[in-house]
Each structure stands twice: as C-alpha cells, then as structure tokens.
Amino acid sequence: MTGIPEQRDLLVIGGGPAGAATAIRAARAGARVTLFEKGSPGRDKICGDGLTTSALRHLEGLGVEPHQIDSWFPVHDVVVRAPYGVERRFSLPRGQGLYAVVATRRDLDAALVDRARKEGAEIAEGAALTSIANTADGVVAEVEGLGEVRARFAVAADGMWSPTRKLLGAGVEGYRGEWHAFRQYVGGVSGRAATDLVVFFEPDFLPGYFWSFPLPGGRANIGFGIQRGGTHSIQDMKGLW
C-alpha cells in the first residue's frame, strides 16, 4: 500500500472476518474504504475453524470461493455425546449443498481480506491503531506506518480486547472474557476423527464441552472450552487437558 487519500468514507479497524466482511460490503456499495490490521491477514483463533450453515451462506454472499482456502474440508456427519453417555450421529443433507465445513482460521481470514482487496478496499498490514477521536465531521485516527487518517465513519472490528474501545475509554475494567479454551492440531487421525464433526459434553468440562474437527491430510483440530466463573479455574486447564 503506497498511501491513503486524506479523507476516507470508512475506516475498518481489524482484519478478521468481521472487519473484512464490513470492508467487502462497503466497498461494493461504492465507499472509499481503508482496512488496517496490526498483524498480517491470516491470524489464528483458538475456538475457530468450524463453519456453520449460516456462515457458509454469508461466505457465498461475500464472494469467497472454497478453492481459495487450502484447508477447506466439508463435513457430512455430526456426532454429539451427552454428559450421561448417550451418543447420537446426525447426518446432514446430501446432494443439497454444504451445511458444515472446517477450515483453519488463518486460511479463512486471509481469503476474506484478499476478497476485500479485490472489491477495492485499501488494506494496510502491520498498521496498529495508536489513537482515535471523534471530530465534527467524522473520526481521526493515528496509525503506525500511516500517520493521521481521517474518515466519515469507523468500524472497530478488533476483537474482545479491542484497542479502539480502550483508546476511547470504553473498556470494562478487569474484564477477561467469558470462556477459557485450549486447542491443538494433531495428525494421523483415523475413523470418525478424520471425517466427522464431534462434540462431547463431558461431565469433567461442564458447563463446557470438548470438540474434534477434521481437516485435510488426516489432521484434526481438537480442544475444549469451559465457562469462566464456573466450577473450573484457569489453573485447572492443564489437568483437564
């Protein structure tokens, strides 16, 4: 990116799915859009990778194509186990499109940002927000590597730890999120771990759950999430794993 015009219609802060989708829609509507991301497109997220039916329909509308995502893996069966041991398999409709897919968050993020760029949004990578303020005719932001950027509107899509929220003094003191999550990628899986989306509501994890999501090449995303403030503390995570 070589430069940004003095005045933009929209600044999008954060290059994850929410920010990229906003940039795509706004650019299609004819807005002059700049999206800036403090890292590089293609970030990881622990509780990610599983794409629901609704998410797939949104991706279609945004113009993201499966062939753009190397880790794209359609799922046709879901296995759910209740805390008391009863297990059920739910088969998704065949021959009527896709209803569930697993794709690594890094690949998905990168594909969405690439789509935003193709729609005409300007993308700035390695550009962290350092200050932001409301003005009479919009917003003015200071961004690392870009300097001062002005726009009519700004959308903060920079996550639950939002730097924008903190810079505007709207952060919640002591807030640390609602859930703990632990995840690992593993290889050499077989059986249903290689094909099915699995969710177990194990008694040890309640009110949380364990998941196993299949990926190409005999890989899987496995992990668990537990609710903060429940029966487990963050210090319990290692033992639970």
Side-chain angles (χ1 to χ4, degrees):
M1 184 171 178
T2 57
I4 297 174
E6 182 178 348
Q7 179 81 13
R8 307 296 286 161
D9 293 316
L10 177 67
L11 300 182
V12 180
I13 305 160
T22 300
I24 291 168
R25 295 292 191 188
R28 281 183 185 171
R32 296 168 298 169
V33 182
T34 294
L35 179 152
F36 52 89
E37 163 61 47
K38 67 180 179 180
S40 299
R43 296 178 302 168
D44 201 3
K45 184 175 186 290
I46 288 177
C47 190
D49 295 3
L51 300 173
T52 64
T53 307
S54 177
L56 294 174
R57 300 297 83 81
H58 283 298
L59 289 174
E60 288 176 356
L62 292 169
V64 176
E65 299 289 341
H67 66 79
Q68 298 174 281
I69 303 175
D70 290 340
S71 54
W72 188 266
F73 192 90
V75 173
H76 302 291
D77 291 279
V78 178
V79 176
V80 179
R81 186 162 71 201
Y84 44 82
V86 174
E87 187 173 297
R88 293 288 184 267
R89 174 183 295 272
F90 299 93
S91 293
L92 301 175
R94 263 64 165 178
Q96 302 177 43
L98 293 178
Y99 289 79
V101 165
V102 179
T104 66
R105 181 63 182 270
R106 288 185 185 276
D107 288 352
L108 179 66
D109 278 22
L112 279 162
V113 170
D114 185 58
R115 183 73 257 168
R117 185 182 288 109
K118 290 176 179 176
E119 295 288 351
E122 294 187 273
I123 309 297
E125 301 173 22
L129 180 71
T130 58
S131 72
I132 188 167
N134 293 311
T135 66
D137 58 353
V139 296
V140 57
E142 287 286 339
V143 184
E144 286 183 1
L146 301 179
E148 183 179 283
V149 184
R150 293 178 175 269
R152 294 176 60 206
F153 302 99
V155 170
D158 46 357
M160 66 177 296
W161 310 119
S162 172
T164 308
R165 185 167 60 227
K166 293 177 182 177
L167 288 168
L168 292 173
V172 179
E173 187 69 28
Y175 180 71
R176 300 182 65 193
E178 307 295 330
W179 290 76
H180 309 294
F182 194 110
R183 188 223 58 209
Q184 186 169 356
Y185 288 111
V186 296
V189 301
S190 60
R192 63 184 178 187
T195 58
D196 300 343
L197 193 154
V198 178
V199 178
F200 288 171
F201 293 94
E202 296 291 335
D204 287 345
F205 295 146
L206 293 179
Y209 58 94
F210 164 86
W211 70 79
S212 175
F213 294 170
L215 285 163
R219 299 175 66 230
N221 166 342
I222 64 172
F224 67 89
I226 57 175
Q227 193 171 24
R228 183 182 292 277
T231 56
H232 301 294
S233 70
I234 194 168
Q235 288 77 22
D236 295 330
M237 296 290 275
K238 181 178 179 181
L240 286 169
W241 184 249

mmCIF file of all heavy atoms in Angstrom, residues 103-154:
data_model
loop_
_atom_site.group_PDB
_atom_site.id
_atom_site.type_symbol
_atom_site.label_atom_id
_atom_site.label_comp_id
_atom_site.label_asym_id
_atom_site.label_seq_id
_atom_site.Cartn_x
_atom_site.Cartn_y
_atom_site.Cartn_z
ATOM 1 N N ALA A 103 -12.325 -25.242 8.211
ATOM 2 C CA ALA A 103 -11.209 -24.581 7.531
ATOM 3 C C ALA A 103 -10.424 -23.810 8.578
ATOM 4 O O ALA A 103 -11.029 -23.186 9.461
ATOM 5 C CB ALA A 103 -11.705 -23.637 6.445
ATOM 6 N N THR A 104 -9.107 -23.863 8.530
ATOM 7 C CA THR A 104 -8.333 -23.170 9.555
ATOM 8 C C THR A 104 -8.618 -21.678 9.499
ATOM 9 O O THR A 104 -8.835 -21.093 8.442
ATOM 10 C CB THR A 104 -6.819 -23.388 9.386
ATOM 11 O OG1 THR A 104 -6.380 -22.778 8.171
ATOM 12 C CG2 THR A 104 -6.478 -24.867 9.383
ATOM 13 N N ARG A 105 -8.613 -21.074 10.660
ATOM 14 C CA ARG A 105 -8.913 -19.644 10.746
ATOM 15 C C ARG A 105 -7.885 -18.820 9.974
ATOM 16 O O ARG A 105 -8.235 -17.786 9.378
ATOM 17 C CB ARG A 105 -8.956 -19.236 12.215
ATOM 18 C CG ARG A 105 -9.271 -17.783 12.472
ATOM 19 C CD ARG A 105 -10.661 -17.377 11.988
ATOM 20 N NE ARG A 105 -10.861 -15.960 12.224
ATOM 21 C CZ ARG A 105 -11.374 -15.462 13.341
ATOM 22 N NH1 ARG A 105 -11.762 -16.266 14.306
ATOM 23 N NH2 ARG A 105 -11.516 -14.167 13.487
ATOM 24 N N ARG A 106 -6.647 -19.235 9.964
ATOM 25 C CA ARG A 106 -5.620 -18.497 9.209
ATOM 26 C C ARG A 106 -5.990 -18.427 7.730
ATOM 27 O O ARG A 106 -5.915 -17.365 7.099
ATOM 28 C CB ARG A 106 -4.255 -19.165 9.379
ATOM 29 C CG ARG A 106 -3.633 -19.003 10.750
ATOM 30 C CD ARG A 106 -2.231 -19.611 10.770
ATOM 31 N NE ARG A 106 -1.642 -19.575 12.096
ATOM 32 C CZ ARG A 106 -1.005 -18.516 12.605
ATOM 33 N NH1 ARG A 106 -0.885 -17.420 11.881
ATOM 34 N NH2 ARG A 106 -0.496 -18.563 13.818
ATOM 35 N N ASP A 107 -6.391 -19.544 7.161
ATOM 36 C CA ASP A 107 -6.748 -19.578 5.746
ATOM 37 C C ASP A 107 -8.002 -18.753 5.464
ATOM 38 O O ASP A 107 -8.085 -18.042 4.459
ATOM 39 C CB ASP A 107 -6.976 -21.021 5.288
ATOM 40 C CG ASP A 107 -5.690 -21.821 5.187
ATOM 41 O OD1 ASP A 107 -4.603 -21.232 5.325
ATOM 42 O OD2 ASP A 107 -5.776 -23.045 4.964
ATOM 43 N N LEU A 108 -8.990 -18.875 6.339
ATOM 44 C CA LEU A 108 -10.242 -18.161 6.135
ATOM 45 C C LEU A 108 -10.028 -16.653 6.198
ATOM 46 O O LEU A 108 -10.519 -15.896 5.355
ATOM 47 C CB LEU A 108 -11.267 -18.590 7.183
ATOM 48 C CG LEU A 108 -12.629 -17.896 7.089
ATOM 49 C CD1 LEU A 108 -13.348 -18.285 5.803
ATOM 50 C CD2 LEU A 108 -13.479 -18.212 8.301
ATOM 51 N N ASP A 109 -9.301 -16.189 7.215
ATOM 52 C CA ASP A 109 -9.033 -14.758 7.355
ATOM 53 C C ASP A 109 -8.336 -14.205 6.121
ATOM 54 O O ASP A 109 -8.694 -13.143 5.600
ATOM 55 C CB ASP A 109 -8.156 -14.508 8.588
ATOM 56 C CG ASP A 109 -8.958 -14.458 9.874
ATOM 57 O OD1 ASP A 109 -10.071 -15.006 9.901
ATOM 58 O OD2 ASP A 109 -8.463 -13.879 10.854
ATOM 59 N N ALA A 110 -7.310 -14.926 5.666
ATOM 60 C CA ALA A 110 -6.542 -14.459 4.512
ATOM 61 C C ALA A 110 -7.414 -14.367 3.266
ATOM 62 O O ALA A 110 -7.304 -13.415 2.482
ATOM 63 C CB ALA A 110 -5.357 -15.379 4.267
ATOM 64 N N ALA A 111 -8.320 -15.346 3.067
ATOM 65 C CA ALA A 111 -9.199 -15.337 1.904
ATOM 66 C C ALA A 111 -10.176 -14.163 1.953
ATOM 67 O O ALA A 111 -10.468 -13.533 0.922
ATOM 68 C CB ALA A 111 -9.959 -16.656 1.811
ATOM 69 N N LEU A 112 -10.682 -13.843 3.130
ATOM 70 C CA LEU A 112 -11.617 -12.725 3.267
ATOM 71 C C LEU A 112 -10.931 -11.386 3.005
ATOM 72 O O LEU A 112 -11.488 -10.508 2.329
ATOM 73 C CB LEU A 112 -12.247 -12.743 4.655
ATOM 74 C CG LEU A 112 -13.413 -13.719 4.843
ATOM 75 C CD1 LEU A 112 -13.670 -13.970 6.321
ATOM 76 C CD2 LEU A 112 -14.668 -13.190 4.169
ATOM 77 N N VAL A 113 -9.734 -11.221 3.532
ATOM 78 C CA VAL A 113 -9.003 -9.973 3.287
ATOM 79 C C VAL A 113 -8.660 -9.837 1.809
ATOM 80 O O VAL A 113 -8.748 -8.750 1.229
ATOM 81 C CB VAL A 113 -7.732 -9.908 4.158
ATOM 82 C CG1 VAL A 113 -6.841 -8.739 3.744
ATOM 83 C CG2 VAL A 113 -8.109 -9.770 5.634
ATOM 84 N N ASP A 114 -8.285 -10.943 1.173
ATOM 85 C CA ASP A 114 -7.999 -10.907 -0.257
ATOM 86 C C ASP A 114 -9.244 -10.507 -1.047
ATOM 87 O O ASP A 114 -9.161 -9.740 -2.022
ATOM 88 C CB ASP A 114 -7.497 -12.276 -0.714
ATOM 89 C CG ASP A 114 -7.056 -12.275 -2.170
ATOM 90 O OD1 ASP A 114 -6.156 -11.478 -2.515
ATOM 91 O OD2 ASP A 114 -7.605 -13.055 -2.965
ATOM 92 N N ARG A 115 -10.418 -10.994 -0.635
ATOM 93 C CA ARG A 115 -11.661 -10.621 -1.299
ATOM 94 C C ARG A 115 -11.935 -9.122 -1.134
ATOM 95 O O ARG A 115 -12.377 -8.453 -2.078
ATOM 96 C CB ARG A 115 -12.810 -11.422 -0.700
ATOM 97 C CG ARG A 115 -14.174 -11.208 -1.312
ATOM 98 C CD ARG A 115 -14.274 -11.860 -2.676
ATOM 99 N NE ARG A 115 -14.173 -10.912 -3.757
ATOM 100 C CZ ARG A 115 -14.004 -11.252 -5.021
ATOM 101 N NH1 ARG A 115 -13.875 -12.528 -5.358
ATOM 102 N NH2 ARG A 115 -13.940 -10.344 -5.961
ATOM 103 N N ALA A 116 -11.671 -8.597 0.072
ATOM 104 C CA ALA A 116 -11.871 -7.158 0.318
ATOM 105 C C ALA A 116 -10.969 -6.337 -0.585
ATOM 106 O O ALA A 116 -11.388 -5.309 -1.148
ATOM 107 C CB ALA A 116 -11.598 -6.841 1.782
ATOM 108 N N ARG A 117 -9.740 -6.786 -0.755
ATOM 109 C CA ARG A 117 -8.798 -6.077 -1.636
ATOM 110 C C ARG A 117 -9.310 -6.083 -3.077
ATOM 111 O O ARG A 117 -9.254 -5.065 -3.777
ATOM 112 C CB ARG A 117 -7.416 -6.732 -1.537
ATOM 113 C CG ARG A 117 -6.335 -6.022 -2.315
ATOM 114 C CD ARG A 117 -5.012 -6.739 -2.209
ATOM 115 N NE ARG A 117 -4.410 -6.600 -0.879
ATOM 116 C CZ ARG A 117 -4.310 -7.579 -0.002
ATOM 117 N NH1 ARG A 117 -4.775 -8.798 -0.281
ATOM 118 N NH2 ARG A 117 -3.737 -7.366 1.169
ATOM 119 N N LYS A 118 -9.827 -7.222 -3.531
ATOM 120 C CA LYS A 118 -10.339 -7.322 -4.902
ATOM 121 C C LYS A 118 -11.578 -6.460 -5.115
ATOM 122 O O LYS A 118 -11.856 -6.028 -6.244
ATOM 123 C CB LYS A 118 -10.641 -8.781 -5.231
ATOM 124 C CG LYS A 118 -9.392 -9.642 -5.374
ATOM 125 C CD LYS A 118 -9.744 -11.105 -5.609
ATOM 126 C CE LYS A 118 -8.478 -11.940 -5.765
ATOM 127 N NZ LYS A 118 -8.777 -13.396 -5.896
ATOM 128 N N GLU A 119 -12.327 -6.211 -4.041
ATOM 129 C CA GLU A 119 -13.516 -5.369 -4.155
ATOM 130 C C GLU A 119 -13.174 -3.885 -4.160
ATOM 131 O O GLU A 119 -14.053 -3.042 -4.339
ATOM 132 C CB GLU A 119 -14.494 -5.656 -3.002
ATOM 133 C CG GLU A 119 -15.086 -7.058 -3.017
ATOM 134 C CD GLU A 119 -16.109 -7.263 -4.127
ATOM 135 O OE1 GLU A 119 -16.488 -6.274 -4.782
ATOM 136 O OE2 GLU A 119 -16.524 -8.420 -4.334
ATOM 137 N N GLY A 120 -11.902 -3.562 -3.921
ATOM 138 C CA GLY A 120 -11.483 -2.166 -3.985
ATOM 139 C C GLY A 120 -11.112 -1.531 -2.665
ATOM 140 O O GLY A 120 -10.729 -0.352 -2.624
ATOM 141 N N ALA A 121 -11.216 -2.265 -1.555
ATOM 142 C CA ALA A 121 -10.796 -1.720 -0.269
ATOM 143 C C ALA A 121 -9.276 -1.640 -0.207
ATOM 144 O O ALA A 121 -8.584 -2.514 -0.739
ATOM 145 C CB ALA A 121 -11.322 -2.593 0.872
ATOM 146 N N GLU A 122 -8.758 -0.595 0.409
ATOM 147 C CA GLU A 122 -7.326 -0.483 0.634
ATOM 148 C C GLU A 122 -6.984 -1.224 1.929
ATOM 149 O O GLU A 122 -7.657 -1.053 2.946
ATOM 150 C CB GLU A 122 -6.901 0.975 0.720
ATOM 151 C CG GLU A 122 -7.081 1.714 -0.594
ATOM 152 C CD GLU A 122 -6.499 3.105 -0.530
ATOM 153 O OE1 GLU A 122 -7.218 4.010 -0.096
ATOM 154 O OE2 GLU A 122 -5.316 3.271 -0.902
ATOM 155 N N ILE A 123 -5.934 -2.027 1.883
ATOM 156 C CA ILE A 123 -5.550 -2.864 3.018
ATOM 157 C C ILE A 123 -4.165 -2.433 3.510
ATOM 158 O O ILE A 123 -3.213 -2.364 2.718
ATOM 159 C CB ILE A 123 -5.506 -4.354 2.625
ATOM 160 C CG1 ILE A 123 -6.804 -4.779 1.918
ATOM 161 C CG2 ILE A 123 -5.229 -5.210 3.854
ATOM 162 C CD1 ILE A 123 -8.049 -4.677 2.753
ATOM 163 N N ALA A 124 -4.072 -2.153 4.781
ATOM 164 C CA ALA A 124 -2.787 -1.812 5.393
ATOM 165 C C ALA A 124 -2.448 -2.866 6.439
ATOM 166 O O ALA A 124 -3.179 -3.031 7.412
ATOM 167 C CB ALA A 124 -2.846 -0.425 6.036
ATOM 168 N N GLU A 125 -1.347 -3.584 6.237
ATOM 169 C CA GLU A 125 -0.909 -4.621 7.177
ATOM 170 C C GLU A 125 0.194 -4.066 8.080
ATOM 171 O O GLU A 125 0.918 -3.138 7.698
ATOM 172 C CB GLU A 125 -0.394 -5.831 6.415
ATOM 173 C CG GLU A 125 -1.415 -6.450 5.480
ATOM 174 C CD GLU A 125 -0.809 -7.539 4.612
ATOM 175 O OE1 GLU A 125 0.237 -8.082 4.997
ATOM 176 O OE2 GLU A 125 -1.377 -7.839 3.547
ATOM 177 N N GLY A 126 0.320 -4.653 9.260
ATOM 178 C CA GLY A 126 1.326 -4.177 10.202
ATOM 179 C C GLY A 126 1.071 -2.744 10.624
ATOM 180 O O GLY A 126 2.000 -1.983 10.876
ATOM 181 N N ALA A 127 -0.186 -2.370 10.702
ATOM 182 C CA ALA A 127 -0.582 -0.990 10.998
ATOM 183 C C ALA A 127 -1.452 -0.969 12.240
ATOM 184 O O ALA A 127 -2.660 -1.219 12.157
ATOM 185 C CB ALA A 127 -1.318 -0.385 9.805
ATOM 186 N N ALA A 128 -0.864 -0.692 13.371
ATOM 187 C CA ALA A 128 -1.599 -0.700 14.640
ATOM 188 C C ALA A 128 -2.177 0.674 14.937
ATOM 189 O O ALA A 128 -1.546 1.705 14.682
ATOM 190 C CB ALA A 128 -0.678 -1.130 15.776
ATOM 191 N N LEU A 129 -3.385 0.687 15.471
ATOM 192 C CA LEU A 129 -4.029 1.924 15.891
ATOM 193 C C LEU A 129 -3.356 2.437 17.167
ATOM 194 O O LEU A 129 -3.197 1.697 18.132
ATOM 195 C CB LEU A 129 -5.508 1.662 16.152
ATOM 196 C CG LEU A 129 -6.357 2.845 16.600
ATOM 197 C CD1 LEU A 129 -6.556 3.816 15.447
ATOM 198 C CD2 LEU A 129 -7.708 2.357 17.120
ATOM 199 N N THR A 130 -2.969 3.722 17.183
ATOM 200 C CA THR A 130 -2.341 4.299 18.376
ATOM 201 C C THR A 130 -3.209 5.349 19.047
ATOM 202 O O THR A 130 -3.064 5.606 20.239
ATOM 203 C CB THR A 130 -0.969 4.904 18.035
ATOM 204 O OG1 THR A 130 -1.131 5.903 17.016
ATOM 205 C CG2 THR A 130 -0.014 3.819 17.530
ATOM 206 N N SER A 131 -4.131 5.976 18.275
ATOM 207 C CA SER A 131 -5.081 6.909 18.881
ATOM 208 C C SER A 131 -6.260 7.075 17.939
ATOM 209 O O SER A 131 -6.141 6.867 16.725
ATOM 210 C CB SER A 131 -4.440 8.270 19.164
ATOM 211 O OG SER A 131 -4.207 8.987 17.968
ATOM 212 N N ILE A 132 -7.395 7.454 18.504
ATOM 213 C CA ILE A 132 -8.589 7.700 17.699
ATOM 214 C C ILE A 132 -9.477 8.668 18.451
ATOM 215 O O ILE A 132 -9.559 8.641 19.684
ATOM 216 C CB ILE A 132 -9.344 6.384 17.378
ATOM 217 C CG1 ILE A 132 -10.467 6.636 16.373
ATOM 218 C CG2 ILE A 132 -9.875 5.722 18.650
ATOM 219 C CD1 ILE A 132 -11.053 5.368 15.774
ATOM 220 N N ALA A 133 -10.132 9.567 17.702
ATOM 221 C CA ALA A 133 -11.006 10.553 18.331
ATOM 222 C C ALA A 133 -12.118 10.926 17.372
ATOM 223 O O ALA A 133 -11.958 10.893 16.149
ATOM 224 C CB ALA A 133 -10.215 11.798 18.725
ATOM 225 N N ASN A 134 -13.266 11.283 17.938
ATOM 226 C CA ASN A 134 -14.374 11.802 17.149
ATOM 227 C C ASN A 134 -14.114 13.265 16.805
ATOM 228 O O ASN A 134 -13.545 14.020 17.601
ATOM 229 C CB ASN A 134 -15.685 11.685 17.934
ATOM 230 C CG ASN A 134 -16.110 10.258 18.148
ATOM 231 O OD1 ASN A 134 -16.130 9.467 17.220
ATOM 232 N ND2 ASN A 134 -16.463 9.923 19.380
ATOM 233 N N THR A 135 -14.539 13.670 15.623
ATOM 234 C CA THR A 135 -14.433 15.058 15.200
ATOM 235 C C THR A 135 -15.802 15.537 14.737
ATOM 236 O O THR A 135 -16.755 14.752 14.680
ATOM 237 C CB THR A 135 -13.421 15.212 14.052
ATOM 238 O OG1 THR A 135 -13.923 14.528 12.891
ATOM 239 C CG2 THR A 135 -12.067 14.622 14.433
ATOM 240 N N ALA A 136 -15.896 16.799 14.367
ATOM 241 C CA ALA A 136 -17.170 17.357 13.939
ATOM 242 C C ALA A 136 -17.697 16.697 12.671
ATOM 243 O O ALA A 136 -18.910 16.598 12.465
ATOM 244 C CB ALA A 136 -17.032 18.861 13.726
ATOM 245 N N ASP A 137 -16.781 16.225 11.810
ATOM 246 C CA ASP A 137 -17.214 15.630 10.547
ATOM 247 C C ASP A 137 -16.818 14.166 10.388
ATOM 248 O O ASP A 137 -16.794 13.632 9.293
ATOM 249 C CB ASP A 137 -16.666 16.434 9.363
ATOM 250 C CG ASP A 137 -15.150 16.520 9.380
ATOM 251 O OD1 ASP A 137 -14.547 16.070 10.381
ATOM 252 O OD2 ASP A 137 -14.573 17.031 8.398
ATOM 253 N N GLY A 138 -16.485 13.494 11.495
ATOM 254 C CA GLY A 138 -16.142 12.072 11.409
ATOM 255 C C GLY A 138 -15.194 11.638 12.498
ATOM 256 O O GLY A 138 -15.405 11.924 13.688
ATOM 257 N N VAL A 139 -14.137 10.942 12.103
ATOM 258 C CA VAL A 139 -13.147 10.447 13.053
ATOM 259 C C VAL A 139 -11.751 10.729 12.509
ATOM 260 O O VAL A 139 -11.549 10.847 11.294
ATOM 261 C CB VAL A 139 -13.290 8.924 13.307
ATOM 262 C CG1 VAL A 139 -14.616 8.603 13.962
ATOM 263 C CG2 VAL A 139 -13.136 8.144 12.006
ATOM 264 N N VAL A 140 -10.799 10.826 13.419
ATOM 265 C CA VAL A 140 -9.394 10.956 13.042
ATOM 266 C C VAL A 140 -8.614 9.924 13.847
ATOM 267 O O VAL A 140 -8.802 9.790 15.052
ATOM 268 C CB VAL A 140 -8.863 12.384 13.289
ATOM 269 C CG1 VAL A 140 -9.034 12.812 14.739
ATOM 270 C CG2 VAL A 140 -7.401 12.487 12.865
ATOM 271 N N ALA A 141 -7.774 9.162 13.153
ATOM 272 C CA ALA A 141 -7.014 8.087 13.792
ATOM 273 C C ALA A 141 -5.533 8.260 13.489
ATOM 274 O O ALA A 141 -5.157 8.757 12.419
ATOM 275 C CB ALA A 141 -7.490 6.733 13.295
ATOM 276 N N GLU A 142 -4.708 7.845 14.432
ATOM 277 C CA GLU A 142 -3.271 7.748 14.214
ATOM 278 C C GLU A 142 -2.921 6.281 14.095
ATOM 279 O O GLU A 142 -3.281 5.482 14.965
ATOM 280 C CB GLU A 142 -2.494 8.387 15.368
ATOM 281 C CG GLU A 142 -2.535 9.899 15.402
ATOM 282 C CD GLU A 142 -1.664 10.533 14.317
ATOM 283 O OE1 GLU A 142 -0.749 9.834 13.818
ATOM 284 O OE2 GLU A 142 -1.903 11.700 13.964
ATOM 285 N N VAL A 143 -2.242 5.930 13.017
ATOM 286 C CA VAL A 143 -1.950 4.536 12.724
ATOM 287 C C VAL A 143 -0.459 4.383 12.438
ATOM 288 O O VAL A 143 0.114 5.170 11.676
ATOM 289 C CB VAL A 143 -2.762 4.049 11.502
ATOM 290 C CG1 VAL A 143 -2.520 2.562 11.255
ATOM 291 C CG2 VAL A 143 -4.255 4.317 11.709
ATOM 292 N N GLU A 144 0.151 3.380 13.078
ATOM 293 C CA GLU A 144 1.573 3.129 12.857
ATOM 294 C C GLU A 144 1.860 2.913 11.375
ATOM 295 O O GLU A 144 1.195 2.115 10.709
ATOM 296 C CB GLU A 144 2.029 1.895 13.640
ATOM 297 C CG GLU A 144 2.155 2.113 15.130
ATOM 298 C CD GLU A 144 2.688 0.877 15.847
ATOM 299 O OE1 GLU A 144 2.964 -0.128 15.159
ATOM 300 O OE2 GLU A 144 2.804 0.918 17.083
ATOM 301 N N GLY A 145 2.848 3.631 10.864
ATOM 302 C CA GLY A 145 3.250 3.481 9.471
ATOM 303 C C GLY A 145 2.419 4.280 8.492
ATOM 304 O O GLY A 145 2.800 4.432 7.330
ATOM 305 N N LEU A 146 1.270 4.819 8.939
ATOM 306 C CA LEU A 146 0.398 5.589 8.054
ATOM 307 C C LEU A 146 0.251 7.029 8.485
ATOM 308 O O LEU A 146 -0.058 7.898 7.679
ATOM 309 C CB LEU A 146 -0.993 4.945 7.980
ATOM 310 C CG LEU A 146 -1.087 3.504 7.493
ATOM 311 C CD1 LEU A 146 -2.538 3.046 7.513
ATOM 312 C CD2 LEU A 146 -0.511 3.369 6.098
ATOM 313 N N GLY A 147 0.426 7.284 9.783
ATOM 314 C CA GLY A 147 0.212 8.626 10.303
ATOM 315 C C GLY A 147 -1.256 8.886 10.562
ATOM 316 O O GLY A 147 -2.011 7.987 10.935
ATOM 317 N N GLU A 148 -1.671 10.123 10.295
ATOM 318 C CA GLU A 148 -3.052 10.515 10.566
ATOM 319 C C GLU A 148 -3.955 10.090 9.411
ATOM 320 O O GLU A 148 -3.656 10.315 8.246
ATOM 321 C CB GLU A 148 -3.136 12.026 10.749
ATOM 322 C CG GLU A 148 -4.520 12.511 11.117
ATOM 323 C CD GLU A 148 -4.561 14.012 11.324
ATOM 324 O OE1 GLU A 148 -4.109 14.475 12.399
ATOM 325 O OE2 GLU A 148 -5.033 14.719 10.405
ATOM 326 N N VAL A 149 -5.066 9.465 9.761
ATOM 327 C CA VAL A 149 -6.049 9.022 8.776
ATOM 328 C C VAL A 149 -7.412 9.552 9.211
ATOM 329 O O VAL A 149 -7.808 9.388 10.359
ATOM 330 C CB VAL A 149 -6.097 7.479 8.670
ATOM 331 C CG1 VAL A 149 -7.052 7.052 7.577
ATOM 332 C CG2 VAL A 149 -4.712 6.910 8.417
ATOM 333 N N ARG A 150 -8.125 10.174 8.273
ATOM 334 C CA ARG A 150 -9.441 10.743 8.568
ATOM 335 C C ARG A 150 -10.518 10.036 7.761
ATOM 336 O O ARG A 150 -10.278 9.616 6.630
ATOM 337 C CB ARG A 150 -9.460 12.244 8.270
ATOM 338 C CG ARG A 150 -8.569 13.069 9.197
ATOM 339 C CD ARG A 150 -8.582 14.538 8.831
ATOM 340 N NE ARG A 150 -7.821 15.308 9.800
ATOM 341 C CZ ARG A 150 -8.345 15.869 10.899
ATOM 342 N NH1 ARG A 150 -9.661 15.757 11.129
ATOM 343 N NH2 ARG A 150 -7.592 16.540 11.743
ATOM 344 N N ALA A 151 -11.699 9.933 8.355
ATOM 345 C CA ALA A 151 -12.807 9.291 7.655
ATOM 346 C C ALA A 151 -14.131 9.793 8.212
ATOM 347 O O ALA A 151 -14.194 10.339 9.322
ATOM 348 C CB ALA A 151 -12.725 7.781 7.806
ATOM 349 N N ARG A 152 -15.188 9.591 7.429
ATOM 350 C CA ARG A 152 -16.527 9.952 7.906
ATOM 351 C C ARG A 152 -16.978 9.024 9.018
ATOM 352 O O ARG A 152 -17.621 9.436 9.979
ATOM 353 C CB ARG A 152 -17.519 9.905 6.749
ATOM 354 C CG ARG A 152 -17.277 10.940 5.663
ATOM 355 C CD ARG A 152 -18.262 10.748 4.525
ATOM 356 N NE ARG A 152 -19.637 10.898 4.998
ATOM 357 C CZ ARG A 152 -20.693 10.334 4.430
ATOM 358 N NH1 ARG A 152 -20.521 9.543 3.363
ATOM 359 N NH2 ARG A 152 -21.910 10.517 4.894
ATOM 360 N N PHE A 153 -16.641 7.718 8.870
ATOM 361 C CA PHE A 153 -17.064 6.727 9.856
ATOM 362 C C PHE A 153 -15.929 5.746 10.118
ATOM 363 O O PHE A 153 -15.025 5.584 9.295
ATOM 364 C CB PHE A 153 -18.287 5.944 9.355
ATOM 365 C CG PHE A 153 -19.472 6.792 9.040
ATOM 366 C CD1 PHE A 153 -19.756 7.161 7.725
ATOM 367 C CD2 PHE A 153 -20.322 7.231 10.040
ATOM 368 C CE1 PHE A 153 -20.849 7.941 7.422
ATOM 369 C CE2 PHE A 153 -21.429 8.013 9.752
ATOM 370 C CZ PHE A 153 -21.696 8.384 8.436
ATOM 371 N N ALA A 154 -16.015 5.072 11.261
ATOM 372 C CA ALA A 154 -15.065 3.994 11.583
ATOM 373 C C ALA A 154 -15.834 2.832 12.187
ATOM 374 O O ALA A 154 -16.812 3.020 12.916
ATOM 375 C CB ALA A 154 -13.990 4.473 12.554
#
